[in-house]
């Protein structure tokens, strides 16, 4: 598992698709970008499997791993929920625990954590502005948040 990096390591770019992941309490949003890292697009919403112990791989981890394989991704970017002041709380700890298990499952594909502040709020506002409401919005807001996470990460890397 990698933290978002800056400096010389952050300037290296390997061509290939990246997967963006927005981990929620009930659902996981998944997005993917093109091989050149220009544009993130929504892929799926996966139901969370809250099993945290035992040998069995939770179904959400297994399904997202399959999606990563289908798209032949070179890296997976997971949003890390931090407070507006940049501090980590219980949600960040939960995400880090999930990412450790997930990274083991998708190895050797690297998994990178990135700040996801306000991505769900931005995604929700965009969906509201485009007239998406009710159950339909709930089912795609996680994908839209994953797009925000991945697109922000791509844009930051390009700068």
């Amino acid at each position: 598992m990698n933290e978002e990096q800056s400096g010389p390591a952050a300037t290296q770019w390997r061509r290939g698709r990246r997967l963006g992941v927005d981990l929620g309490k009930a659902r996981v949003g998944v997005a993917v970008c093109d091989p050149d890292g220009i544009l993130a697009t929504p892929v799926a919403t996966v139901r969370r499997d809250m099993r945290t112990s035992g040998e069995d791989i939770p179904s959400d981890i297994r399904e997202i791993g399959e999606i990563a394989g289908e798209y032949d991704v070179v890296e997976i970017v997971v949003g890390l929920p931090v407070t507006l002041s940049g501090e980590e709380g219980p949600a960040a700890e939960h995400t880090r625990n999930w990412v450790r298990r997930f990274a083991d499952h998708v190895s050797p594909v690297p998994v990178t954590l990135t700040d996801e502040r306000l991505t769900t709020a931005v995604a929700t506002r965009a969906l509201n502005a485009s007239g998406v409401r009710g159950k339909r919005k709930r089912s795609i807001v996680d994908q839209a948040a994953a797009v925000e996470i991945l697109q922000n990460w791509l844009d930051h890397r390009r700068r």
Side-chain angles (χ1 to χ4, degrees):
M1 171 176 47
N2 302 323
E3 295 292 326
E4 187 171 11
Q5 298 175 351
S6 58
T11 60
Q12 297 173 349
W13 178 259
R14 179 177 168 207
R15 189 173 191 278
R17 292 180 180 270
R18 268 85 178 159
L19 207 65
V21 176
D22 175 49
L23 183 68
K25 291 180 180 172
R27 294 171 305 275
V28 183
V30 182
V32 70
C33 71
D34 60 285
D36 293 317
I38 305 293
L39 184 64
T41 56
V43 172
T45 301
V46 176
R47 281 236 163 275
R48 279 297 305 275
D49 180 348
M50 298 306 286
R51 288 180 291 165
T52 57
S53 61
E55 300 273 328
D56 290 344
I57 299 167
S59 60
D60 57 343
I61 288 176
R62 194 170 47 252
E63 188 172 342
I64 297 165
E66 290 169 4
I67 293 169
E70 288 171 25
Y71 284 93
D72 196 25
V73 300
V74 298
E75 186 171 9
I76 300 169
V77 180
V78 179
L80 180 66
V82 294
T83 65
L84 289 177
S85 64
E87 296 177 18
E88 293 188 18
E93 182 180 341
H94 174 78
T95 297
R96 286 183 180 279
N97 290 334
W98 184 89
V99 166
R100 275 191 278 282
R101 195 164 191 188
F102 177 68
D104 286 344
H105 180 68
V106 297
S107 181
V109 175
V111 178
T112 301
L113 287 167
T114 190
D115 184 339
E116 71 162 25
R117 273 180 270 192
L118 301 176
T119 53
T120 300
V122 168
T124 300
R125 263 188 253 121
L127 291 172
N128 286 341
S130 63
V132 179
R133 301 272 186 262
K135 282 187 177 183
R136 183 164 179 256
K137 181 172 81 174
R138 211 176 11 200
S139 70
I140 62 172
V141 71
D142 302 295
Q143 290 177 43
V147 167
E148 283 292 321
I149 289 166
L150 183 55
Q151 191 66 56
N152 288 342
W153 184 86
L154 292 167
D155 293 346
H156 177 76
R157 296 287 294 194
R158 216 177 358 262
R159 280 188 216 120

